[in-house]
C-alpha cells in the first residue's frame, strides 16, 4: 500500500493563491497602498508555485509492505513491523499525523523530532518511542 500527499490541501493552497492574486490586483488597480498590493501579488505567486508543485508531486510518502513500513521523507529506512507496537492518526494543530509507537530498544538511524516533546516524554516513560 502506498500513501501519498493530500490533493485537497494542494487545491486549497492554489485557491488561496488565486484569491491573494485577485486581492493584490484590486489593491494595485484601486490605487491604494502599492506596497501592500505588491506583497499580496508576491505571496500569491509563491502560493501558486507551491500549490501546483504539490499537485504535480506524486511521490509516495509511506510505503507499507508485508515486512516493513518505509517513510520516504525523512527516515528513508524500513522499520520492521515487529518493532511497531501501535499505529494511529493524530490531529494536531490543524493537520493529521501518522503516529508509530516503536519499542524503545529499536533505533532507526535517522529519527527527527516532530516537536511533540510532551508526548515523547509520556511514551518514554512507557518504554516506547514515537515516530510521526
Amino acid at each position: 500500500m502506498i500513501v501519498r500527499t493530500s490533493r485537497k490541501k494542494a487545491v486549497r493552497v492554489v485557491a488561496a493563491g488565486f484569491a491573494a492574486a485577485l486581492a493584490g490586483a484590486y489593491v494595485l488597480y484601486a490605487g491604494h497602498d502599492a506596497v501592500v498590493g505588491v506583497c499580496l501579488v508576491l505571496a500569491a505567486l509563491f502560493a501558486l508555485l507551491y500549490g501546483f508543485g504539490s499537485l504535480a508531486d506524486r511521490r509516495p510518502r509511506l510505503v507499507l509492505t508485508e515486512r516493513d513500513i518505509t517513510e520516504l521523507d525523512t527516515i528513508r529506512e524500513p522499520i520492521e513491523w515487529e518493532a511497531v507496537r501501535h499505529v494511529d492518526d493524530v490531529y494536531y494543530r490543524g493537520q493529521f499525523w501518522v503516529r508509530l509507537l516503536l519499542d524503545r530498544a529499536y533505533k532507526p538511524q535517522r529519527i527527527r523530532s516532530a516537536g511533540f516533546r510532551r508526548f515523547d516524554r509520556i511514551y518514554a516513560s512507557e518504554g516506547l518511542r514515537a515516530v510521526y
Side-chain angles (χ1 to χ4, degrees):
M1 182 170 140
I2 296 175
V3 179
R4 300 185 189 279
T5 57
S6 171
R7 285 191 164 295
K8 187 177 179 182
K9 179 181 174 184
V11 169
R12 286 182 182 172
V13 170
V14 169
F18 280 127
L22 289 174
Y26 173 74
V27 168
L28 286 174
Y29 180 73
H32 296 295
D33 194 4
V35 173
V36 173
V38 170
C39 289
L40 280 171
V41 169
L42 287 175
L45 176 71
F46 288 124
L48 290 171
L49 285 173
Y50 175 77
F52 284 126
S54 296
L55 280 174
D57 182 18
R58 297 310 302 154
R59 293 178 297 148
R61 299 295 182 227
L62 289 175
V63 177
L64 306 171
T65 64
E66 293 176 357
R67 293 176 298 158
D68 54 27
I69 179 170
T70 305
E71 190 269 334
L72 297 172
D73 277 336
T74 55
I75 300 174
R76 295 185 185 187
E77 67 181 47
I79 299 172
E80 292 84 18
W81 284 113
E82 290 83 28
V84 177
R85 294 292 165 229
H86 184 72
V87 177
D88 62 350
D89 60 339
V90 177
Y91 185 76
Y92 184 72
R93 293 187 181 181
Q95 193 173 18
F96 280 103
W97 296 74
V98 175
R99 176 177 52 192
L100 299 174
L101 295 179
L102 308 175
D103 282 335
R104 196 72 178 161
Y106 184 76
K107 297 185 189 242
Q109 296 295 324
R110 296 176 230 133
I111 291 183
R112 67 177 172 90
S113 174
F116 300 121
R117 290 182 188 90
R118 181 181 305 151
F119 296 129
D120 290 341
R121 281 184 269 152
I122 292 170
Y123 299 136
S125 68
E126 296 175 6
L128 300 171
R129 180 179 202 151
V131 176
Y132 299 94

